[in-house]
Amino acid sequence: MVEKLKELFVFRELLLNLVKRELKVKYKKSILGFFWSLLNPILTTIVFTFVFAVLLRIQPPVLRYGAIFSFPVFLLCALLPWNFLSISLSLSLNSIVGNGNLVKKVYFPREILPSSAVLANLINFCLELLVLFMLLTFLGSRFFLYLPLLIAITIIQTLFTIGMCLIFSCLNVYFRDIQHLLGIILMIWFYATPIIYPFEYVLQMSHKLPWLPFIYKLNPMATFVLAYRSILYDCQPPSFFLLGYAVVVSLLTLYFGYLFFNAYEPTFAEEI
């Protein structure tokens, strides 16, 4: 894996160019450009707030010192990290098949293709976070006290996302049904992650289903969402157990994704 990392470093210019291309293609001939990245979570937040906060009366947990009591903010703190994962998976899924001519004719580390989609989306995610930071600052949040932890969590989630994208982009070369399955998987994963409801609701169910909180915490995205929300919404550092689990799962996912991708990479050109 060390040799592969050295090879990726040698091809860093190609990676950079592909990231630029991803960003240009995404907003090509678009009037609003990057603002579509903001409009999407804002509209989703408005709809979810009306359905879940107004109609179903779901409310964020009780205020802690320095925290904010607002369902839209509570939702955005989890929705943006979720969008980072889901959009990265959607963009990278076709990265090998869609660049078939490149894969057949030119040698380069194929991992660059799904990774460039993730890194391009990471730039969008960071810009969205900056807008959220401005909103939180306006509301008087003290989240900036834990900004180094937030940066660390973003890096950890990026490693996890690259690992997932390596697996799914590779599967799509051999099984095109993955393109249809991914939407279903993401929908189930979304509702299995405490994004639109507080994790405290899950804890309240533990007297009937004592194993439920443990199962929830096995979900890596639940771990990331709880960590982001702890800093951005509750203004307190996430637990070391949460961070440790996120690091272990992300590194394992990246390592498994790398092994899986490299095992099938030699036959990509024949299958495309």
Side-chain angles (χ1 to χ4, degrees):
M1 192 170 184
V2 175
E3 291 300 318
K4 182 60 75 174
L5 288 174
K6 288 180 182 175
E7 192 179 32
L8 286 173
F9 182 75
V10 171
F11 283 88
R12 62 188 182 282
E13 286 293 329
L14 175 62
L15 177 63
L16 185 62
N17 287 331
L18 287 173
V19 170
K20 289 179 182 174
R21 190 190 69 173
E22 286 282 346
L23 291 171
K24 283 181 183 175
V25 168
K26 186 172 183 180
Y27 301 119
K28 188 178 181 182
K29 295 186 179 179
S30 168
I31 295 173
L32 294 180
F34 161 71
F35 289 100
W36 281 114
S37 295
L38 297 179
L39 202 57
N40 184 297
I42 289 172
L43 292 177
T44 306
T45 300
I46 292 171
V47 172
F48 281 178
T49 299
F50 178 74
V51 173
F52 292 100
V54 178
L55 297 182
L56 298 179
R57 306 257 180 211
I58 291 178
Q59 292 299 322
V62 180
L63 271 174
R64 297 182 179 93
Y65 175 75
I68 301 164
F69 187 73
S70 164
F71 185 84
V73 176
F74 173 81
L75 179 61
L76 271 174
C77 292
L79 187 63
L80 296 186
W82 169 260
N83 284 349
F84 173 42
L85 172 81
S86 63
I87 295 173
S88 295
L89 276 172
S90 301
L91 288 176
S92 65
L93 186 67
N94 208 38
S95 59
I96 305 295
V97 176
N99 288 287
N101 288 333
L102 201 60
V103 171
K104 289 177 182 176
K105 294 176 181 174
V106 184
Y107 175 76
F108 62 94
R110 309 306 190 218
E111 296 89 343
I112 282 181
L113 292 171
S115 299
S116 65
V118 176
L119 295 179
N121 197 35
L122 175 63
I123 293 173
N124 280 323
F125 177 49
C126 290
L127 292 172
E128 290 169 359
L129 279 180
L130 283 177
V131 176
L132 179 61
F133 289 171
M134 287 189 272
L135 174 64
L136 292 171
T137 304
F138 176 76
L139 294 174
S141 170
R142 297 165 62 87
F143 72 95
F144 48 82
L145 294 174
Y146 306 106
L147 203 53
L149 274 177
L150 188 71
I151 294 170
I153 293 166
T154 304
I155 293 171
I156 296 167
Q157 191 195 354
T158 302
L159 297 179
F160 172 75
T161 305
I162 290 175
M164 292 296 296
C165 289
L166 286 174
I167 295 168
F168 274 84
S169 61
C170 178
L171 284 173
N172 189 50
V173 174
Y174 299 91
F175 309 102
R176 304 297 160 84
D177 298 300
I178 292 294
Q179 297 179 21
H180 307 286
L181 276 174
L182 181 63
I184 298 170
I185 293 169
L186 286 175
M187 181 188 69
I188 296 171
W189 201 354
F190 176 82
Y191 286 104
T193 305
I195 297 170
I196 52 178
Y197 52 88
F199 184 66
E200 283 73 6
Y201 281 26
V202 179
L203 295 177
Q204 289 171 11
M205 295 287 292
S206 61
H207 65 283
K208 292 181 180 175
L209 305 168
W211 46 265
L212 193 60
F214 176 74
I215 296 294
Y216 254 79
K217 286 184 177 177
L218 289 180
N219 172 4
M221 276 313 293
T223 304
F224 284 119
V225 161
L226 291 176
Y228 279 105
R229 194 171 266 159
S230 177
I231 293 174
L232 294 172
Y233 188 78
D234 298 329
C235 295
Q236 61 182 15
S239 72
F240 284 111
F241 173 78
L242 210 62
L243 286 176
Y245 179 71
V247 170
V248 171
V249 168
S250 297
L251 291 178
L252 285 176
T253 304
L254 181 64
Y255 186 62
F256 176 75
Y258 163 78
L259 292 180
F260 187 76
F261 191 92
N262 272 274
Y264 290 96
E265 181 193 341
T267 56
F268 279 174
E270 299 168 15
E271 294 293 334
I272 294 174

